[in-house]
């Protein structure tokens, strides 16, 4: 039974004069595995985390309250017409843990007439109920106007 070695056999090169031989060993190189499964696992993990965060925020009580407020607000209807879409946009703040429960959402609101505006809604949990503390929108001239009077 013949044992195989991990290194390659010596390579013999004639010297420049042609009379002497010189032995040279090739270094052993490890056979590397492919790293694509690790990269794919990291990408999938990141995608699942992002999906989980988006799902958590969009199914939360403050998000639903904000979207309902925007769709029913008369000032926004006067500005852009009947609301067709409420797309969440940045910044969104909704810390999952903390003594004070606050949330802030920004929406790109698109009316059926294709007019758009940006609406920011600030909420706070008071006595186990989410309440809109303040809300603002940008009018056609770009000025910020309040939707909730404190």
């Amino acid at each position: 039974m013949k044992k195989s070695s991990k290194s390659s056999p010596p390579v013999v090169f004639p010297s420049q004069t042609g009379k002497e031989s010189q032995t040279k060993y090739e270094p052993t190189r490890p056979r590397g595995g492919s790293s694509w499964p690790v990269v794919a696992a990291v990408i999938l993990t990141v995608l699942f985390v992002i999906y989980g965060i988006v799902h958590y925020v969009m199914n939360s009580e403050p998000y639903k309250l904000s979207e309902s407020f925007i769709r029913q607000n008369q000032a926004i209807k006067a500005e852009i017409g009947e609301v067709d879409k409420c797309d969440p946009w940045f910044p969104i703040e909704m810390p999952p843990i903390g003594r004070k429960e606050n949330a802030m959402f920004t929406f790109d609101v698109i009316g059926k007439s294709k007019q758009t505006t940006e609406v920011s809604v600030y909420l706070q949990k008071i006595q186990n109920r989410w309440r809109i503390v303040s809300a603002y929108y940008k009018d056609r001239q770009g000025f910020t106007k309040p939707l909730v009077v404190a």
Side-chain angles (χ1 to χ4, degrees):
M1 187 180 235
K2 187 176 179 184
K3 286 187 172 181
S4 63
S5 70
K6 298 253 182 194
S7 63
S8 59
V11 178
V12 179
F13 295 104
S15 68
Q16 293 175 353
T17 61
K19 297 178 184 175
E20 299 175 8
S21 297
Q22 185 178 1
T23 304
K24 179 180 177 187
Y25 288 93
E26 292 289 322
T28 302
R29 292 187 176 88
R31 293 181 184 185
S34 178
S35 64
W36 74 266
V38 174
V39 172
V42 168
I43 290 171
L44 280 175
T45 302
V46 168
L47 289 175
F48 279 124
V49 168
I50 290 171
Y51 173 78
I53 291 170
V54 168
H55 184 19
Y56 169 74
V57 169
M58 292 187 77
N59 288 311
S60 68
E61 186 179 346
Y63 179 87
K64 290 177 181 179
L65 179 63
S66 299
E67 186 175 7
S68 175
F69 171 77
I70 291 169
R71 289 185 181 278
Q72 296 172 5
N73 191 282
Q74 295 303 319
I76 293 174
K77 286 181 181 180
E79 185 71 27
I80 64 169
E82 192 68 32
V83 175
D84 187 33
K85 284 185 180 179
C86 284
D87 293 333
W89 197 242
F90 296 101
I92 292 175
E93 294 177 17
M94 192 175 155
I97 300 171
R99 277 188 13 202
K100 273 190 161 184
E101 293 188 64
N102 297 319
M104 193 264 310
F105 298 102
T106 302
F107 294 89
D108 277 341
V109 182
I110 303 168
K112 293 195 185 222
S113 63
K114 302 301 178 198
Q115 295 287 332
T116 63
T117 188
E118 184 179 293
V119 180
S120 297
V121 181
Y122 301 88
L123 301 102
Q124 188 173 30
K125 195 169 191 178
I126 302 169
Q127 298 175 349
N128 292 329
R129 280 190 54 204
W130 284 98
R131 298 170 196 249
I132 296 174
V133 178
S134 65
Y136 300 92
Y137 77 100
K138 287 187 181 175
D139 66 5
R140 290 184 186 135
Q141 289 78 31
F143 295 109
T144 303
K145 295 189 174 181
L147 291 170
V148 174
V149 179

